[in-house]
Amino acid sequence: MNVISKDVIVVGGGAAGLMCAIEAGKRRRSVLVLEHTERLGKKILVSGGGRCNFTNLHVQPENYLSANPDFCKSALSRYPPADFIGLIEKHRISYHEKKLGQLFCDGSSRQIVALLEEECKAVRVEIRLGCKVRSIRKALSFQVETSQGLFSSDSLVIATGGLSFAKLGATDFGYRIAKEFDLKVTGLRPALVPLKFREPAGFGALSGISIDAVARCGNQSFRENILLTHRGLSGPAILQVSSFWREGESIEIDLLPGQSAESIFSNEHGNKTLSTVLSQLMPKRFVQHWRRSQSIPDQPLKQFSKIELGVIARRLHHWKITPQGTEGYPKAEVTLGGVSTSELSSKTMESRSVPGLYFIGEVVDVTGWLGGCNFQWAWASGHAAGQYA
Ligand SMILES: Cc1cc2nc3c(=O)[nH]c(=O)nc-3n(C[C@H](O)[C@H](O)[C@H](O)COP(=O)(O)OP(=O)(O)OC[C@H]3O[C@@H](n4cnc5c(N)ncnc54)[C@H](O)[C@@H]3O)c2cc1C
């Protein structure tokens, strides 16, 4: 069989894989990207509601979850957000900060994929779409058998992402390859994912209501919106805590962040009912649901004792609820866990035990917070591997 030889083969044409291909191409390495779907960067296309939250100005190593929190430091420091912004500006893509340092395209995420395609073209990266990898063997070089023929390379970069959104092309390929080469893979779970609740906490009728709140899980807390859904809770604050939540645990929600419920009660006219007072601060339908779920009668404030008002205030600031589970990989933005960082060099992303084998992006056990951190990790880890592969 005819074998096509390359310096570098990258499996996975998403954010990390394309960045790595561009960087390796700049070093005049011959690079081949193998993507099994018919289109590059499908997750980029749907991300940020179609506008791609491509980085975050304030990104820090502390914004990542990993068994080794130091692992991401090196790559992130060598490819900061300013470098990707430079690329965005070079391609004249207009963008804006939505909030909290989150940068989005003014136009469409298609511009980001087009940027990556143009950069690949400029350094002669070859891209094969609809290419299924059947097997990988390592002899002197890597032998990659695919639906489009046999390829060999000195370096093999696995950039096949996580398990979420299988309909966009996600597979467990990267984890399987790691195991085939005897590399450890940590436990995996859906993260940045809506949480489900059992009745009577079910919020079916309230679906669509959004409230400014602080969501807490363990010692992590996030102030952003929470969104009531048919099956439970979503919205940025909930997605953030979902990465820290474990089965059986409760989460806590402060429904009046930055305010004091006790002072609000003492400043109100005692003839007003509890619902009337709270409905000035959050949607009325939610207030009724919450009050009933707490078995609190709707009566004028003056009919509650001081102690009772204190209890209600505490519950408003510390509303404790126990999720039944998450909505799983079909709704998760990312996969928590991945190829163990203990197997990889944090400088190059190369396997310590299999020379020439690299893992980058979401397939690695580095998971970012919401708000552009996951793409920043994809760019930075892809950039790091691209300097060495
Ligand atoms: C709906 C949604 C919205 C998101 N929004 C944001 C956001 O706004 N900001 C942010 O920072 N992050 C966001 N994320 C997370 C972000 O998309 C990922 O963390 C990021 O794409 C990971 O990059 P990656 O290159 O590692 O993997 P991916 O981008 O998933 O790329 C992996 C590629 O490998 C291909 N592949 C898989 N298996 C194989 C195989 N066997 N053979 C060949 N190819 C294969 C896939 O088809 C895909 O093209 C979002 C995720 C989702 C699901």
Side-chain angles (χ1 to χ4, degrees):
M1 199 194 277
N2 191 23
V3 183
I4 298 174
S5 225
K6 293 280 177 180
D7 293 329
V8 183
I9 293 177
V10 179
V11 187
L18 294 175
M19 176 56 85
C20 176
I22 292 162
E23 289 300 317
K26 284 185 194 166
R27 292 171 38 241
R28 298 185 181 276
R29 305 279 278 160
S30 60
V31 184
L32 171 65
V33 175
L34 304 177
E35 165 59 48
H36 74 144
T37 71
E38 297 299 333
R39 183 132 209 208
L40 294 175
K42 283 193 177 185
K43 278 197 186 161
I44 301 175
L45 292 172
V46 302
S47 67
R51 291 220 160 90
C52 187
N53 177 195
F54 54 82
T55 193
N56 190 303
L57 291 173
H58 311 309
V59 77
Q60 296 289 333
E62 291 71 37
N63 303 135
Y64 293 87
L65 290 83
S66 170
N68 175 2
D70 291 333
F71 182 83
C72 61
K73 286 184 177 169
S74 169
L76 289 174
S77 69
R78 284 176 291 140
Y79 194 81
D83 287 16
F84 195 75
I85 295 167
L87 204 49
I88 292 275
E89 290 177 351
K90 175 182 160 198
H91 286 258
R92 298 178 191 282
I93 298 173
S94 55
Y95 63 95
H96 61 278
E97 178 180 350
K98 197 165 168 191
K99 57 178 176 179
L100 308 168
Q102 302 167 7
L103 300 190
F104 288 76
C105 299
D106 290 346
S108 155
S109 0
R110 284 196 297 272
Q111 294 171 288
I112 304 288
V113 177
L115 170 162
L116 296 165
E117 284 172 333
E118 277 173 45
E119 291 287 323
C120 280
K121 204 168 161 198
V123 293
R124 297 205 172 90
V125 170
E126 184 185 342
I127 293 171
R128 293 205 176 218
L129 298 174
C131 183
K132 319 265 180 250
V133 177
R134 296 198 174 122
S135 70
I136 293 178
R137 269 189 324 110
K138 180 159 196 220
L140 275 180
S141 58
F142 290 95
Q143 308 289 313
V144 183
E145 196 200 332
T146 77
S147 55
Q148 297 183 15
L150 186 59
F151 302 95
S152 78
S153 64
D154 299 336
S155 297
L156 178 68
V157 183
I158 306 297
T160 47
L163 296 172
S164 69
F165 275 70
K167 63 180 182 193
L168 297 177
T171 68
D172 65 351
F173 182 86
Y175 310 117
R176 274 193 283 122
I177 292 300
K179 287 178 189 163
E180 275 176 30
F181 281 98
D182 281 331
L183 306 187
K184 282 195 289 278
V185 176
T186 70
L188 305 173
R189 52 183 291 126
L192 300 181
V193 60
L195 298 173
K196 290 191 297 189
F197 293 85
R198 238 184 238 113
E199 294 293 337
F203 308 105
L206 307 175
S207 170
I209 289 179
S210 170
I211 300 169
D212 173 30
V214 172
R216 286 190 206 97
C217 186
N219 52 13
Q220 291 292 335
S221 63
F222 296 90
R223 178 168 183 178
E224 283 233 44
N225 283 347
I226 60 169
L227 175 70
L228 286 92
T229 70
H230 283 291
R231 307 179 71 179
L233 292 176
S234 185
I238 295 296
L239 297 181
Q240 294 279 37
V241 294
S242 74
S243 299
F244 298 89
W245 177 78
R246 293 296 176 271
E247 278 70 16
E249 288 178 3
S250 301
I251 61 166
E252 211 179 84
I253 296 178
D254 181 349
L255 291 165
L256 293 172
Q259 306 181 67
S260 156
E262 280 197 88
S263 330
I264 291 168
F265 293 152
S266 59
N267 292 334
E268 279 293 349
H269 197 286
N271 285 332
K272 281 190 184 168
T273 64
L274 179 67
S275 293
T276 306
V277 172
L278 292 179
S279 298
Q280 295 160 12
L281 305 162
M282 55 188 112
K284 191 170 178 178
R285 277 189 303 142
F286 175 76
V287 169
Q288 296 294 14
H289 173 92
W290 182 82
R291 187 185 54 69
R292 277 190 224 112
S293 75
Q294 303 292 307
S295 309
I296 301 170
D298 194 17
Q299 59 190 37
L301 291 186
K302 66 182 181 194
Q303 289 180 16
F304 290 103
S305 69
K306 211 169 168 213
I307 292 175
E308 284 169 336
L309 284 178
V311 170
I312 296 170
R314 246 192 327 280
R315 289 201 199 160
L316 283 163
H317 288 296
H318 302 274
W319 179 34
K320 243 185 179 180
I321 38 176
T322 308
Q324 177 199 0
T326 75
E327 294 215 12
Y329 290 115
K331 293 277 175 70
E333 271 198 19
V334 287
T335 300
L336 187 70
V339 176
S340 171
T341 52
S342 64
E343 302 282 5
L344 307 175
S345 151
S346 61
K347 188 172 169 202
T348 65
M349 302 290 139
E350 188 177 14
S351 156
R352 293 183 188 283
S353 55
V354 187
L357 180 63
Y358 296 75
F359 289 84
I360 56 174
E362 199 181 312
V363 73
V364 178
D365 173 29
V366 173
T367 307
W369 290 10
L370 195 73
C373 303
N374 284 297
F375 279 132
Q376 187 55 35
W377 169 247
W379 314 135
S381 58
H383 172 270
Q387 310 309 309
Y388 298 92

